[in-house]
């Protein structure tokens, strides 16, 4: 054993954590600690499972279901730390270990989820569930456990199980490669800007582009990277059409460059394997398999929702396109609107029509002020308070930690905020946890993380958010609340352990508070002068919100439809990924001037793993609920109405997976969601009526 490999007693992942609130000691954890820790965790977990299957006593809830809930504690702990680093602060050593771990993880879980003896015990309890005298949460846990094992193939023949295990291992490997490739293509590309290249760009954008150069060891230069937080504002504001084209083309080519990072072959293989596994389990397609365990239930229900939204959104986008083209002509431009022009001219049109541009409001949206707003809304709704802690170990110096307390002042959670883009972080924004709430053996308080990719302010200036960034901040914090307010007994039902098409309800619902005048008037203060957001600018901002919604809806719904088609058509049909994408976009009548929000080779939601595979629609499914749910506060005449907030806490934010989601929604709202609330919120209901 080499010296660096270390002994168990000096591996911080394997010892008790002496830190405040037993948080991971990130300052002591090194890449070489992970593989030995995973080895130990796999061995412990397998021994715990063997103890259950070898238990001679008649299966009962305690010796089977509760015992399962208690198993794998070390594995959960090591995994949480590891995947936080993989996503938020990786390096070549971590990424190399990730390849190994993803394979080992599949090899570890396959024999557990397909263990015939274990499944026999679970199935027996499930069959007799009505006679076991279980509480509602216990019954829900038993059902969810049975479904999880059944859907993993625990009831298949030995031959089918062997094939299933091979498929799962291969899919794990492919998913990991997909995200590594994407990160690779994003890390490899920057566009250096001369002073003349900065025409149209705001001071805060240029400052952020200088900070990004510094992060890459290019101090003194100004660069645009392929992070969405750079690309979208660049396309919106750069007056240089040639550079917009360059950035746009590099952005949509990620994972599709014919280099070592190309993801096309991976996609083809993944789709074929997913189809094969669905068929082994008795489903005609992967989407049918995947959606059986969701609120939507079937691909048809998903398609109905998406098409209901697609038609008015497309019509609006086409009408907007004509206006943008007219604007180009009016300015003397002699070219057809291209995809790299849309955001730029849409922003011009918005400035003209609503007399508003993002640049005008950014000085009022300093990150720190918006964090205050995020916390204050949670205090007013749910009574929780936040105090920054400087003594908690973190994985990067930019990470901040707050202690969260409940109304009585008791410790509730720790909240980690990791807000800035850096090369070691994958793109996007997400919530995750280092430890989930549960109270199976005494109360465990959660450690919840939000990760974003905001551009840093340069030269000591504070980071300023765009309205989209501010919305992302509220969105991820809404997920964070789902984790922090969780109040369940069993770990596997904790917080965000809900259906994918329900999980965006707590996050998207929370976005609504960000755009309330009451909140903005108080927290949107000029970062230099401290002056409040002028009333007139606030009104223009609110009026501009519905602007360009045809475009935003089209880019999202087209990606969701493509995801659904990938997983409902025979896999052979999409072997040529580019051709499939092209044909599909032609079929739905995709406007040529709009790109998918995620083209296939960069669609990490559905190919980095299978969590959102044939589940990208979930955001929209949840939006039907969040648009309708916020109405409860509007009807109460108070966006912080205590009685409504209490119901929201009790029925939605604290119940995790312990309640059926439809029942949870109806308990909160008193009825099913009303679907047109979504179209109304996006301003897509007021379509001009045909004669
Ligand atoms: Zn989300």
């Amino acid at each position: 054993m080499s010296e660096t490999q270390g002994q168990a007693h000096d591996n911080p992942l394997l010892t008790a954590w002496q830190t405040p609130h037993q948080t991971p000691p990130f300052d002591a954890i090194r890449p070489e600690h992970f593989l030995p820790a995973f080895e130990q965790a796999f061995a412990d977990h397998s021994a715990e499972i063997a103890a259950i299957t070898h238990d001679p006593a008649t299966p009962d809830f305690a010796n089977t279901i509760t015992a399962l809930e208690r198993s794998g504690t070390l594995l959960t702990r090591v995994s949480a730390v590891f995947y936080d680093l993989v996503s938020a602060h990786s390096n070549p050593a971590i990424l190399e270990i990730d390849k190994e771990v993803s394979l080992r993880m599949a090899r570890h879980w396959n024999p557990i989820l397909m263990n015939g003896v274990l499944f026999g015990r679970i199935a027996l309890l499930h069959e007799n569930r009505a006679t076991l005298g279980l509480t509602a949460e216990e019954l829900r846990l038993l059902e969810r456990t049975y479904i999880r094992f059944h859907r993993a193939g625990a009831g298949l023949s030995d031959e089918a199980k062997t094939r299933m295990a091979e498929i799962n291992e291969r899919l794990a490997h492919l998913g990991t490669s997909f995200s590594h490739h994407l990160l690779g293509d994003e890390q490899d590309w920057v566009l250096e800007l001369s002073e003349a290249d900065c025409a149209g760009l705001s001071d805060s954008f240029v400052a952020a582009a200088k900070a990004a150069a510094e992060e890459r060891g290019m101090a003194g230069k100004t660069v645009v990277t392929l992070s969405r937080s750079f690309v979208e504002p660049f396309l919106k504001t750069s007056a240089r059409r040639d550079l917009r084209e360059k950035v746009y083309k590099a952005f949509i080519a990620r994972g599709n460059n014919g280099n070592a990072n190309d993801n096309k072959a991976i996609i083809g293989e993944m789709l074929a394997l997913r189809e094969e596994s669905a068929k082994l389990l008795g489903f005609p397609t992967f989407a049918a398999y995947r959606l059986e365990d969701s609120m939507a239930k079937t691909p048809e229900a998903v398609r109905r929702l998406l098409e209901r939204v697609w038609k008015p959104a497309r019509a609006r986008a086409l009408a907007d396109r004509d206006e943008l083209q007219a604007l180009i002509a009016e300015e003397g431009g002699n070219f057809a609107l291209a995809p790299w022009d849309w955001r730029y001219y849409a922003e011009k049109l918005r400035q003209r029509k609503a007399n508003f541009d993002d640049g005008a409001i950014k000085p009022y949206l300093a990150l720190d002020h918006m964090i205050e707003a995020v916390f204050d809304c949670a205090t007013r709704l749910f009574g929780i308070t936040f105090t920054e802690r400087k003594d908690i170990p973190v994985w990067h110096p930019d990470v901040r930690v707050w202690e969260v307390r409940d109304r009585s002042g008791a410790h509730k959670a720790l909240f980690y905020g990791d807000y800035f883009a850096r090369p070691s972080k994958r793109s996007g924004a997400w919530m995750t946890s280092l430890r989930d709430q549960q109270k199976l053996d005494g109360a465990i308080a959660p450690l919840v993380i939000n990760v974003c990719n905001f551009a840093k302010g340069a030269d000591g200036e504070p980071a300023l958010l765009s309205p989209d960034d501010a919305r992302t901040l509220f969105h991820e914090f809404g997920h964070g609340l789902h984790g922090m307010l969780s109040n369940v007994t069993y770990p596997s039902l904790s917080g965000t352990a809900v259906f994918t098409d329900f999980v965006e309800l707590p996050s998207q619902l929370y976005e609504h508070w960000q755009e309330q005048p009451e909140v903005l008037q108080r927290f949107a203060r000029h970062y230099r002068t401290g002056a409040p957001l002028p009333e007139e600018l606030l009104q223009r901002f609110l009026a501009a919100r519905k602007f360009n919604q045809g475009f935003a809806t089209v880019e999202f719904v087209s990606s969701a439809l493509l995801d659904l088609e990938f997983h409902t058509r025979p896999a052979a049909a999409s072997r040529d990924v580019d051709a499939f994408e092209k044909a599909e976009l032609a079929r739905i009548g995709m406007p040529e001037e709009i790109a998918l929000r995620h083209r296939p080779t960069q669609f990490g939601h559905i190919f980095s793993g299978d969590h959102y595979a044939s589940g990208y629609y979930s955001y929209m499914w949840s939006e039907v609920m969040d648009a309708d749910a916020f109405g409860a506060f509007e009807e109460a005449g108070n966006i912080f109405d205590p009685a409504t907030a209490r119901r929201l806490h009790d029925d939605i934010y604290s119940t995790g997976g312990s309640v059926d989601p439809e029942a949870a929604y109806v308990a909160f709202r008193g009825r099913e969601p009303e679907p047109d609330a979504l179209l109304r919120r996006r301003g897509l209901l007021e379509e001009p009526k045909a004669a």
Side-chain angles (χ1 to χ4, degrees):
M1 179 181 279
S2 77
E3 206 180 276
T4 50
Q5 190 123 10
Q7 306 289 327
H9 65 263
D10 55 47
N11 186 331
L13 292 166
L14 294 173
T15 54
W17 292 339
Q18 307 296 342
T19 46
H21 297 289
Q22 292 81 53
T23 56
F26 284 102
D27 41 358
I29 295 169
R30 294 192 304 276
E32 60 268 26
H33 293 134
F34 282 106
L35 281 179
F38 272 114
E39 292 296 345
Q40 185 64 53
F42 289 143
D44 285 6
H45 190 207
S46 298
E48 287 156 356
I49 298 294
I52 299 172
T53 55
H54 289 96
D55 189 340
T58 312
D60 61 25
F61 190 83
N63 71 20
T64 303
I65 305 300
T66 311
L68 262 178
E69 289 292 300
R70 286 203 177 96
S71 72
T73 308
L74 181 62
L75 183 56
T76 305
R77 178 167 105 143
V78 175
S79 303
V81 175
F82 182 66
Y83 288 113
D84 175 46
L85 294 181
V86 167
S87 321
H89 194 40
S90 69
N91 57 44
I94 290 280
L95 293 180
E96 205 46 49
I97 297 167
D98 185 26
K99 283 187 203 160
E100 169 86 18
V101 168
S102 65
L103 201 62
R104 293 292 312 272
M105 202 66 95
R107 279 191 191 147
H108 173 71
W109 277 105
N110 279 330
I112 296 175
L113 289 171
M114 294 185 220
N115 184 315
V117 178
L118 184 56
F119 184 57
R121 296 177 73 103
I122 297 166
L124 180 70
L125 293 169
H126 185 252
E127 207 180 293
N128 299 321
R129 61 193 180 280
T131 64
L132 301 177
L134 302 177
T135 65
E137 184 179 347
E138 288 164 348
L139 191 60
R140 176 84 181 161
L141 175 64
L142 175 54
E143 280 171 0
R144 292 308 303 158
T145 307
Y146 173 79
I147 289 170
R148 181 155 59 101
F149 278 77
H150 179 71
R151 286 174 53 79
L156 294 177
S157 71
D158 286 348
E159 194 189 344
K161 278 185 191 173
T162 307
R163 180 60 190 146
M164 199 66 170
E166 286 169 5
I167 292 174
N168 289 342
E169 276 183 30
R170 184 70 187 153
L171 281 173
H173 169 75
L174 293 169
T176 308
S177 302
F178 186 95
S179 53
H180 289 188
H181 287 171
L182 197 50
L183 184 66
D185 261 7
E186 284 172 4
Q187 280 173 341
D188 287 352
W189 192 94
V190 290
L191 175 68
E192 213 183 306
L193 300 176
S194 69
E195 206 157 311
D197 295 341
C198 293
L201 303 176
S202 69
D203 292 348
S204 66
F205 184 93
V206 174
K210 285 191 199 304
E214 206 168 316
E215 286 271 5
R216 281 168 173 71
M218 300 169 71
K221 300 214 175 347
T222 309
V223 300
V224 178
T225 75
L226 288 185
S227 156
R228 196 180 280 276
S229 308
F230 273 107
V231 172
E232 290 187 355
F234 187 84
L235 293 176
K236 204 184 244 185
T237 56
S238 170
R240 287 282 300 275
R241 187 164 193 251
D242 57 331
L243 297 183
R244 291 201 307 267
E245 180 176 358
K246 216 172 192 173
V247 169
Y248 170 86
K249 285 185 168 165
F251 188 64
I252 65 153
R254 290 169 300 146
N256 195 15
N257 288 310
N259 58 12
N261 288 329
D262 198 288
N263 275 330
K264 289 195 290 292
I266 289 182
I267 292 173
E269 192 181 347
M270 284 183 98
L271 291 172
L273 291 172
R274 282 175 179 167
E275 178 181 77
E276 189 184 345
S277 74
K279 288 194 165 147
L280 283 172
L281 291 162
F283 292 86
T285 63
F286 181 81
Y289 162 70
R290 183 64 180 68
L291 294 168
E292 183 202 46
D293 199 37
S294 71
M295 286 186 86
K297 303 276 185 292
T298 63
E300 292 69 35
V302 172
R303 187 171 282 113
R304 266 199 304 278
L305 170 68
L306 293 176
E307 286 182 351
R308 167 89 184 85
V309 180
W310 174 253
K311 287 181 189 110
R314 180 175 176 273
R316 171 63 52 83
L318 291 174
D320 288 350
R321 177 190 64 187
D322 296 342
E323 270 197 272
L324 299 179
Q325 190 64 63
L327 181 60
I328 290 171
E330 195 186 304
E331 288 191 344
N334 185 23
F335 56 86
L337 181 79
W340 49 91
D341 298 319
W342 188 294
R343 287 171 201 271
Y344 181 71
Y345 287 98
E347 184 62 13
K348 279 198 165 191
L349 195 62
R350 182 165 74 150
Q351 286 180 29
R352 175 188 295 192
K353 280 193 162 173
N355 190 19
F356 176 84
D357 71 290
D358 280 2
I361 200 172
K362 271 184 103 165
Y364 295 90
L365 302 179
L367 173 61
D368 284 357
H369 294 167
M370 288 299 102
I371 291 174
E372 270 182 63
V374 154
F375 288 171
D376 183 71
C377 290
T379 304
R380 296 181 71 177
L381 288 166
F382 306 121
I384 53 176
T385 55
F386 301 81
T387 318
E388 186 154 12
R389 297 275 302 246
K390 302 279 190 186
D391 57 338
I392 309 290
V394 292
W395 53 95
H396 185 280
D398 286 347
V399 181
R400 298 170 69 183
V401 183
W402 288 267
E403 178 168 5
V404 184
R405 293 200 179 87
D406 70 12
R407 273 179 219 277
S408 71
H411 178 80
K412 182 93 180 148
L414 287 179
F415 175 70
Y416 294 68
D418 181 0
Y419 294 115
F420 298 122
R422 58 176 168 262
S424 65
K425 195 187 272 187
R426 70 172 171 81
S427 53
W430 60 93
M431 168 272 189
T432 179
S433 65
L434 292 165
R435 189 167 69 213
D436 291 328
Q437 180 276 332
Q438 56 150 308
K439 47 189 180 191
L440 183 50
D441 298 302
I444 304 270
L447 307 175
V448 166
I449 301 175
N450 272 182
V451 183
C452 301
N453 267 287
F454 302 143
K456 248 186 194 177
D459 308 325
E461 292 282 293
L464 302 178
L465 304 185
S466 69
D468 277 355
D469 290 338
R471 188 179 310 127
T472 299
L473 186 75
F474 273 72
H475 179 100
E476 297 309 332
F477 193 77
H479 285 308
L481 286 171
H482 204 188
M484 292 189 281
L485 298 176
S486 174
N487 183 21
V488 302
T489 301
Y490 296 97
S492 69
L493 300 177
S494 188
T496 54
V498 296
F499 287 150
T500 312
D501 51 7
F502 186 75
V503 80
E504 300 301 332
L505 170 61
S507 53
Q508 292 180 170
L509 177 57
Y510 206 63
E511 292 175 25
H512 289 258
W513 278 275
Q514 186 265 330
E515 50 186 40
Q516 297 307 309
E518 195 175 335
V519 174
L520 287 167
Q521 278 155 355
R522 186 150 160 229
F523 292 97
R525 299 187 304 271
H526 196 281
Y527 77 105
R528 276 206 192 118
T529 64
L533 184 65
E535 176 61 24
E536 169 258 357
L537 183 57
L538 172 69
Q539 291 311 326
R540 282 191 277 131
F541 166 66
L542 295 175
R545 275 176 317 173
K546 283 177 184 163
F547 195 79
N548 211 22
Q549 278 297 313
F551 172 88
T553 310
V554 160
E555 68 162 6
F556 174 86
V557 175
S558 54
S559 281
L561 282 168
L562 189 62
D563 168 33
L564 191 65
E565 293 309 321
F566 269 136
H567 295 102
T568 47
R569 300 273 195 82
S574 52
R575 209 168 283 146
D576 182 339
V577 174
D578 282 340
F580 185 84
E581 175 189 0
K582 216 171 152 193
E584 182 53 27
L585 295 185
R587 192 184 66 81
I588 63 174
M590 181 76 167
E592 274 174 33
E593 302 81 359
I594 300 180
L596 290 155
R597 182 150 183 91
H598 306 280
R599 292 193 63 210
T601 59
Q602 53 221 220
F603 208 162
H605 284 86
I606 67 170
F607 294 123
S608 281
D610 63 4
H611 193 61
Y612 278 88
S614 70
Y616 191 63
Y617 76 94
S618 297
Y619 294 91
M620 196 140 273
W621 192 275
S622 292
E623 192 176 327
V624 171
M625 292 183 281
D626 78 66
D628 183 70
F630 192 73
F633 286 92
E634 293 171 329
E635 287 158 22
N638 174 4
I639 59 166
F640 296 107
D641 179 59
T644 312
R646 165 58 60 186
R647 283 203 313 277
L648 186 63
H649 173 275
D650 293 353
D651 296 320
I652 307 285
Y653 280 91
S654 70
T655 49
S658 69
V659 182
D660 172 73
E662 241 172 73
Y665 189 85
V666 171
F668 164 66
R669 195 65 167 105
R671 56 166 176 75
E672 304 262 327
E674 191 250 301
D676 278 353
L678 172 152
L679 292 174
R680 198 172 306 118
R681 182 176 180 223
R682 287 182 174 245
L684 297 174
L685 265 189
E686 305 104 46
E687 207 51 41
K689 304 249 179 319

